Amino acid sequence: MARAHPRRKLRIGIVCYPTFGGSGVVATELGLNLIRRGHEVHFICYAVPLRLREYHKNLYYHVVDVLPYPLFKFAPYDLALASTIVEVVRKHRLEMLHVHYAVPHSISAYLAREMLGAQATFKTVTTLHGTDITLVGADKSYRVATHFGIARSDGVTAVSRYLAQATQRRFGADLAIRVIPNCVNLTRFRPARRRLAGKRRLAQRGEKILVHASNFRAVKRVADVVKIFHRVQHTLPARLVLLGDGPEMSHVVALVDKLRLRDRVTFFGPIEDVENVLPYTDLFLLPSGKPGESFGLAALESMACGVPVIASREGGTPEVIDDGENGYLCAAGDVAGMAAQATAVLSSPARLLRLGRAARRKAETAFPPEGITAQYEALYFELLDRS
Ligand code: GMT
């Protein structure tokens, strides 16, 4: 029986990508929740995380400076990160280093610990988020190093059962992986109080609002979002709101023009405050293609706002959405099926309201921020007890 670790203040480092993607959002919210539980948190990133808008005496931010140099075709971010981790550990005596997204963060953490030698006073946790395993980490460019970095972590978590199983299938069933799902800030993401007034800012009276938010990478199939909307708007007055930006944007804009939808589609770009738009929409579309979303944080954010989701039944999304209860799941690429489901639910206000309320309840009960944060904290203390 492990010694019960006294509930004490920990000095925790968090490494993440500070950008639009869900892993950085999850890492930021976790860090803020850990601070609320009395811990000291040090963010170590190449920029201030997008959602880090609060300041607190126990919150620190350390920039990873990556020097470009003509000889380098690719500046070694992983080495700059490892060096910064060493400096922060030495100065702040970190006890825990929690890295989000295995590539290259889990390897940089290992390198930092090796560089510190006996001064390495910290344990490491790697949280797998999805494409670090199913796309990037699976590629021959990174596969061996990704497996090494995960295997050398003291603790490994995955954001869904699907992702834990996918990782063990790919890298070996002997890997111990704890499933700790994502959560969202339920205060920031909540149903609108004065919904109709807010809808007026987005659409004409009577128009239903469909919405999508992502980093517009190929896996998100944003073109399917446009095709689904194209079908829906033939049947009922509707508008499409697109949040985010990324490599597929030009393809999406060309498709909107080809389908003559420009006057019905609003491109908001990579806005930071999606929580000020989502509550005023009616239906969120997340038709990601194979391998699918490992979790689908954007879907959970929408559900927390009381907006149901139609998503592809791929990856970990079925662990977030209960088909027919708080959203709908269809086969990836089934544009006709998703459009039919969207048209049916948008044509029935009572059904839409029931789904939206169930979606909020799911976000509150299945993914409670306090409970999720406590699971990470328990893992930290378990690992520190082993020292
Ligand atoms: O692939 C991305 O969209 C980037 C990645 C990230 O870093 O945000 O998203 C992954 O992590 C999110 C947070 O855990 C999950 O909600 C997303 O489902 C996951 N994306 C994929 O698995 C495709």
PDB file of all heavy atoms in Angstrom, residues 328-355:
ATOM      1  N   TYR A 328     -25.138  13.405 -32.370  1.00  0.00           N
ATOM      2  CA  TYR A 328     -25.300  12.302 -33.334  1.00  0.00           C
ATOM      3  C   TYR A 328     -23.941  11.870 -33.869  1.00  0.00           C
ATOM      4  O   TYR A 328     -23.023  12.697 -34.036  1.00  0.00           O
ATOM      5  CB  TYR A 328     -26.196  12.730 -34.501  1.00  0.00           C
ATOM      6  CG  TYR A 328     -27.620  12.992 -34.084  1.00  0.00           C
ATOM      7  CD1 TYR A 328     -28.080  14.295 -33.916  1.00  0.00           C
ATOM      8  CD2 TYR A 328     -28.490  11.934 -33.797  1.00  0.00           C
ATOM      9  CE1 TYR A 328     -29.371  14.545 -33.501  1.00  0.00           C
ATOM     10  CE2 TYR A 328     -29.793  12.178 -33.383  1.00  0.00           C
ATOM     11  CZ  TYR A 328     -30.221  13.489 -33.226  1.00  0.00           C
ATOM     12  OH  TYR A 328     -31.510  13.732 -32.800  1.00  0.00           O
ATOM     13  N   LEU A 329     -23.829  10.587 -34.164  1.00  0.00           N
ATOM     14  CA  LEU A 329     -22.590  10.025 -34.719  1.00  0.00           C
ATOM     15  C   LEU A 329     -22.911   9.361 -36.050  1.00  0.00           C
ATOM     16  O   LEU A 329     -23.875   8.595 -36.157  1.00  0.00           O
ATOM     17  CB  LEU A 329     -21.997   8.990 -33.752  1.00  0.00           C
ATOM     18  CG  LEU A 329     -21.540   9.535 -32.389  1.00  0.00           C
ATOM     19  CD1 LEU A 329     -21.252   8.394 -31.431  1.00  0.00           C
ATOM     20  CD2 LEU A 329     -20.306  10.429 -32.539  1.00  0.00           C
ATOM     21  N   CYS A 330     -22.126   9.695 -37.072  1.00  0.00           N
ATOM     22  CA  CYS A 330     -22.332   9.089 -38.397  1.00  0.00           C
ATOM     23  C   CYS A 330     -20.978   8.590 -38.906  1.00  0.00           C
ATOM     24  O   CYS A 330     -19.932   8.965 -38.373  1.00  0.00           O
ATOM     25  CB  CYS A 330     -22.869  10.123 -39.381  1.00  0.00           C
ATOM     26  SG  CYS A 330     -24.451  10.854 -38.924  1.00  0.00           S
ATOM     27  N   ALA A 331     -21.013   7.792 -39.954  1.00  0.00           N
ATOM     28  CA  ALA A 331     -19.750   7.299 -40.527  1.00  0.00           C
ATOM     29  C   ALA A 331     -18.975   8.470 -41.130  1.00  0.00           C
ATOM     30  O   ALA A 331     -19.574   9.414 -41.680  1.00  0.00           O
ATOM     31  CB  ALA A 331     -20.056   6.261 -41.605  1.00  0.00           C
ATOM     32  N   ALA A 332     -17.662   8.435 -41.000  1.00  0.00           N
ATOM     33  CA  ALA A 332     -16.834   9.498 -41.610  1.00  0.00           C
ATOM     34  C   ALA A 332     -17.102   9.536 -43.109  1.00  0.00           C
ATOM     35  O   ALA A 332     -17.208   8.490 -43.761  1.00  0.00           O
ATOM     36  CB  ALA A 332     -15.355   9.213 -41.351  1.00  0.00           C
ATOM     37  N   GLY A 333     -17.299  10.741 -43.635  1.00  0.00           N
ATOM     38  CA  GLY A 333     -17.538  10.904 -45.064  1.00  0.00           C
ATOM     39  C   GLY A 333     -19.000  10.803 -45.460  1.00  0.00           C
ATOM     40  O   GLY A 333     -19.360  11.095 -46.599  1.00  0.00           O
ATOM     41  N   ASP A 334     -19.857  10.432 -44.505  1.00  0.00           N
ATOM     42  CA  ASP A 334     -21.291  10.291 -44.820  1.00  0.00           C
ATOM     43  C   ASP A 334     -21.965  11.660 -44.786  1.00  0.00           C
ATOM     44  O   ASP A 334     -22.732  11.988 -43.873  1.00  0.00           O
ATOM     45  CB  ASP A 334     -21.960   9.342 -43.812  1.00  0.00           C
ATOM     46  CG  ASP A 334     -23.447   9.147 -44.120  1.00  0.00           C
ATOM     47  OD1 ASP A 334     -23.902   9.633 -45.193  1.00  0.00           O
ATOM     48  OD2 ASP A 334     -24.149   8.569 -43.266  1.00  0.00           O
ATOM     49  N   VAL A 335     -21.691  12.462 -45.800  1.00  0.00           N
ATOM     50  CA  VAL A 335     -22.209  13.841 -45.878  1.00  0.00           C
ATOM     51  C   VAL A 335     -23.732  13.823 -45.923  1.00  0.00           C
ATOM     52  O   VAL A 335     -24.402  14.575 -45.204  1.00  0.00           O
ATOM     53  CB  VAL A 335     -21.625  14.563 -47.111  1.00  0.00           C
ATOM     54  CG1 VAL A 335     -22.388  15.850 -47.411  1.00  0.00           C
ATOM     55  CG2 VAL A 335     -20.138  14.824 -46.923  1.00  0.00           C
ATOM     56  N   ALA A 336     -24.289  12.914 -46.723  1.00  0.00           N
ATOM     57  CA  ALA A 336     -25.758  12.853 -46.843  1.00  0.00           C
ATOM     58  C   ALA A 336     -26.391  12.510 -45.499  1.00  0.00           C
ATOM     59  O   ALA A 336     -27.369  13.148 -45.074  1.00  0.00           O
ATOM     60  CB  ALA A 336     -26.132  11.802 -47.891  1.00  0.00           C
ATOM     61  N   GLY A 337     -25.812  11.535 -44.813  1.00  0.00           N
ATOM     62  CA  GLY A 337     -26.377  11.133 -43.509  1.00  0.00           C
ATOM     63  C   GLY A 337     -26.291  12.248 -42.485  1.00  0.00           C
ATOM     64  O   GLY A 337     -27.242  12.527 -41.751  1.00  0.00           O
ATOM     65  N   MET A 338     -25.151  12.925 -42.453  1.00  0.00           N
ATOM     66  CA  MET A 338     -24.985  14.029 -41.480  1.00  0.00           C
ATOM     67  C   MET A 338     -25.920  15.183 -41.825  1.00  0.00           C
ATOM     68  O   MET A 338     -26.530  15.803 -40.944  1.00  0.00           O
ATOM     69  CB  MET A 338     -23.528  14.491 -41.477  1.00  0.00           C
ATOM     70  CG  MET A 338     -22.569  13.472 -40.872  1.00  0.00           C
ATOM     71  SD  MET A 338     -20.866  14.110 -40.847  1.00  0.00           S
ATOM     72  CE  MET A 338     -19.971  12.668 -40.266  1.00  0.00           C
ATOM     73  N   ALA A 339     -26.074  15.455 -43.120  1.00  0.00           N
ATOM     74  CA  ALA A 339     -26.967  16.548 -43.540  1.00  0.00           C
ATOM     75  C   ALA A 339     -28.421  16.211 -43.190  1.00  0.00           C
ATOM     76  O   ALA A 339     -29.169  17.064 -42.699  1.00  0.00           O
ATOM     77  CB  ALA A 339     -26.821  16.782 -45.034  1.00  0.00           C
ATOM     78  N   ALA A 340     -28.792  14.955 -43.388  1.00  0.00           N
ATOM     79  CA  ALA A 340     -30.175  14.549 -43.066  1.00  0.00           C
ATOM     80  C   ALA A 340     -30.428  14.672 -41.572  1.00  0.00           C
ATOM     81  O   ALA A 340     -31.451  15.193 -41.127  1.00  0.00           O
ATOM     82  CB  ALA A 340     -30.393  13.099 -43.523  1.00  0.00           C
ATOM     83  N   GLN A 341     -29.454  14.250 -40.781  1.00  0.00           N
ATOM     84  CA  GLN A 341     -29.582  14.327 -39.323  1.00  0.00           C
ATOM     85  C   GLN A 341     -29.658  15.797 -38.874  1.00  0.00           C
ATOM     86  O   GLN A 341     -30.482  16.172 -38.052  1.00  0.00           O
ATOM     87  CB  GLN A 341     -28.362  13.651 -38.680  1.00  0.00           C
ATOM     88  CG  GLN A 341     -28.535  13.227 -37.258  1.00  0.00           C
ATOM     89  CD  GLN A 341     -29.574  12.126 -37.093  1.00  0.00           C
ATOM     90  OE1 GLN A 341     -30.750  12.429 -36.899  1.00  0.00           O
ATOM     91  NE2 GLN A 341     -29.157  10.880 -37.182  1.00  0.00           N
ATOM     92  N   ALA A 342     -28.825  16.622 -39.500  1.00  0.00           N
ATOM     93  CA  ALA A 342     -28.811  18.060 -39.149  1.00  0.00           C
ATOM     94  C   ALA A 342     -30.141  18.704 -39.499  1.00  0.00           C
ATOM     95  O   ALA A 342     -30.741  19.431 -38.691  1.00  0.00           O
ATOM     96  CB  ALA A 342     -27.668  18.753 -39.883  1.00  0.00           C
ATOM     97  N   THR A 343     -30.649  18.416 -40.679  1.00  0.00           N
ATOM     98  CA  THR A 343     -31.922  19.005 -41.123  1.00  0.00           C
ATOM     99  C   THR A 343     -33.060  18.570 -40.209  1.00  0.00           C
ATOM    100  O   THR A 343     -33.875  19.393 -39.774  1.00  0.00           O
ATOM    101  CB  THR A 343     -32.226  18.575 -42.569  1.00  0.00           C
ATOM    102  OG1 THR A 343     -31.127  18.966 -43.410  1.00  0.00           O
ATOM    103  CG2 THR A 343     -33.504  19.218 -43.075  1.00  0.00           C
ATOM    104  N   ALA A 344     -33.051  17.302 -39.835  1.00  0.00           N
ATOM    105  CA  ALA A 344     -34.143  16.772 -38.975  1.00  0.00           C
ATOM    106  C   ALA A 344     -34.115  17.454 -37.614  1.00  0.00           C
ATOM    107  O   ALA A 344     -35.144  17.955 -37.125  1.00  0.00           O
ATOM    108  CB  ALA A 344     -33.975  15.256 -38.816  1.00  0.00           C
ATOM    109  N   VAL A 345     -32.960  17.570 -37.032  1.00  0.00           N
ATOM    110  CA  VAL A 345     -32.925  18.121 -35.654  1.00  0.00           C
ATOM    111  C   VAL A 345     -33.130  19.636 -35.670  1.00  0.00           C
ATOM    112  O   VAL A 345     -33.787  20.200 -34.795  1.00  0.00           O
ATOM    113  CB  VAL A 345     -31.608  17.737 -34.932  1.00  0.00           C
ATOM    114  CG1 VAL A 345     -30.410  18.453 -35.480  1.00  0.00           C
ATOM    115  CG2 VAL A 345     -31.726  17.968 -33.431  1.00  0.00           C
ATOM    116  N   LEU A 346     -32.640  20.301 -36.706  1.00  0.00           N
ATOM    117  CA  LEU A 346     -32.836  21.763 -36.780  1.00  0.00           C
ATOM    118  C   LEU A 346     -34.294  22.118 -37.101  1.00  0.00           C
ATOM    119  O   LEU A 346     -34.737  23.235 -36.829  1.00  0.00           O
ATOM    120  CB  LEU A 346     -31.904  22.373 -37.828  1.00  0.00           C
ATOM    121  CG  LEU A 346     -30.411  22.374 -37.480  1.00  0.00           C
ATOM    122  CD1 LEU A 346     -29.578  22.795 -38.694  1.00  0.00           C
ATOM    123  CD2 LEU A 346     -30.131  23.284 -36.286  1.00  0.00           C
ATOM    124  N   SER A 347     -35.025  21.155 -37.621  1.00  0.00           N
ATOM    125  CA  SER A 347     -36.445  21.402 -37.949  1.00  0.00           C
ATOM    126  C   SER A 347     -37.351  21.140 -36.749  1.00  0.00           C
ATOM    127  O   SER A 347     -38.552  21.370 -36.806  1.00  0.00           O
ATOM    128  CB  SER A 347     -36.889  20.485 -39.109  1.00  0.00           C
ATOM    129  OG  SER A 347     -36.035  20.682 -40.220  1.00  0.00           O
ATOM    130  N   SER A 348     -36.734  20.664 -35.643  1.00  0.00           N
ATOM    131  CA  SER A 348     -37.562  20.352 -34.464  1.00  0.00           C
ATOM    132  C   SER A 348     -37.008  21.076 -33.232  1.00  0.00           C
ATOM    133  O   SER A 348     -36.107  20.559 -32.542  1.00  0.00           O
ATOM    134  CB  SER A 348     -37.551  18.834 -34.201  1.00  0.00           C
ATOM    135  OG  SER A 348     -38.052  18.587 -32.900  1.00  0.00           O
ATOM    136  N   PRO A 349     -37.489  22.284 -32.939  1.00  0.00           N
ATOM    137  CA  PRO A 349     -36.970  23.070 -31.802  1.00  0.00           C
ATOM    138  C   PRO A 349     -36.976  22.290 -30.486  1.00  0.00           C
ATOM    139  O   PRO A 349     -36.040  22.369 -29.703  1.00  0.00           O
ATOM    140  CB  PRO A 349     -37.910  24.274 -31.745  1.00  0.00           C
ATOM    141  CG  PRO A 349     -38.446  24.417 -33.133  1.00  0.00           C
ATOM    142  CD  PRO A 349     -38.549  23.028 -33.674  1.00  0.00           C
ATOM    143  N   ALA A 350     -38.025  21.491 -30.270  1.00  0.00           N
ATOM    144  CA  ALA A 350     -38.119  20.744 -28.994  1.00  0.00           C
ATOM    145  C   ALA A 350     -36.984  19.728 -28.902  1.00  0.00           C
ATOM    146  O   ALA A 350     -36.329  19.580 -27.860  1.00  0.00           O
ATOM    147  CB  ALA A 350     -39.460  20.042 -28.907  1.00  0.00           C
ATOM    148  N   ARG A 351     -36.716  19.053 -30.016  1.00  0.00           N
ATOM    149  CA  ARG A 351     -35.658  18.024 -30.032  1.00  0.00           C
ATOM    150  C   ARG A 351     -34.284  18.692 -29.860  1.00  0.00           C
ATOM    151  O   ARG A 351     -33.426  18.220 -29.113  1.00  0.00           O
ATOM    152  CB  ARG A 351     -35.720  17.300 -31.374  1.00  0.00           C
ATOM    153  CG  ARG A 351     -34.930  15.996 -31.421  1.00  0.00           C
ATOM    154  CD  ARG A 351     -35.406  15.213 -32.639  1.00  0.00           C
ATOM    155  NE  ARG A 351     -34.372  14.416 -33.240  1.00  0.00           N
ATOM    156  CZ  ARG A 351     -34.410  13.988 -34.509  1.00  0.00           C
ATOM    157  NH1 ARG A 351     -35.438  14.324 -35.296  1.00  0.00           N
ATOM    158  NH2 ARG A 351     -33.454  13.250 -35.007  1.00  0.00           N
ATOM    159  N   LEU A 352     -34.127  19.832 -30.523  1.00  0.00           N
ATOM    160  CA  LEU A 352     -32.852  20.562 -30.441  1.00  0.00           C
ATOM    161  C   LEU A 352     -32.596  20.992 -29.002  1.00  0.00           C
ATOM    162  O   LEU A 352     -31.502  20.831 -28.472  1.00  0.00           O
ATOM    163  CB  LEU A 352     -32.908  21.774 -31.373  1.00  0.00           C
ATOM    164  CG  LEU A 352     -31.603  22.511 -31.647  1.00  0.00           C
ATOM    165  CD1 LEU A 352     -30.558  21.584 -32.269  1.00  0.00           C
ATOM    166  CD2 LEU A 352     -31.856  23.705 -32.555  1.00  0.00           C
ATOM    167  N   LEU A 353     -33.651  21.490 -28.335  1.00  0.00           N
ATOM    168  CA  LEU A 353     -33.519  21.943 -26.941  1.00  0.00           C
ATOM    169  C   LEU A 353     -33.181  20.754 -26.030  1.00  0.00           C
ATOM    170  O   LEU A 353     -32.293  20.837 -25.182  1.00  0.00           O
ATOM    171  CB  LEU A 353     -34.828  22.603 -26.498  1.00  0.00           C
ATOM    172  CG  LEU A 353     -34.832  23.233 -25.102  1.00  0.00           C
ATOM    173  CD1 LEU A 353     -33.805  24.368 -25.011  1.00  0.00           C
ATOM    174  CD2 LEU A 353     -36.232  23.741 -24.737  1.00  0.00           C
ATOM    175  N   ARG A 354     -33.844  19.623 -26.256  1.00  0.00           N
ATOM    176  CA  ARG A 354     -33.600  18.435 -25.415  1.00  0.00           C
ATOM    177  C   ARG A 354     -32.144  17.968 -25.580  1.00  0.00           C
ATOM    178  O   ARG A 354     -31.429  17.712 -24.611  1.00  0.00           O
ATOM    179  CB  ARG A 354     -34.562  17.322 -25.825  1.00  0.00           C
ATOM    180  CG  ARG A 354     -34.338  15.997 -25.097  1.00  0.00           C
ATOM    181  CD  ARG A 354     -35.375  14.959 -25.446  1.00  0.00           C
ATOM    182  NE  ARG A 354     -35.456  14.679 -26.890  1.00  0.00           N
ATOM    183  CZ  ARG A 354     -34.570  13.931 -27.557  1.00  0.00           C
ATOM    184  NH1 ARG A 354     -33.536  13.418 -26.911  1.00  0.00           N
ATOM    185  NH2 ARG A 354     -34.716  13.691 -28.850  1.00  0.00           N
ATOM    186  N   LEU A 355     -31.715  17.927 -26.802  1.00  0.00           N
ATOM    187  CA  LEU A 355     -30.326  17.482 -27.063  1.00  0.00           C
ATOM    188  C   LEU A 355     -29.326  18.442 -26.427  1.00  0.00           C
ATOM    189  O   LEU A 355     -28.342  18.031 -25.814  1.00  0.00           O
ATOM    190  CB  LEU A 355     -30.081  17.408 -28.575  1.00  0.00           C
ATOM    191  CG  LEU A 355     -30.555  16.150 -29.297  1.00  0.00           C
ATOM    192  CD1 LEU A 355     -30.522  16.382 -30.793  1.00  0.00           C
ATOM    193  CD2 LEU A 355     -29.699  14.954 -28.937  1.00  0.00           C
TER     194      LEU A 355
END
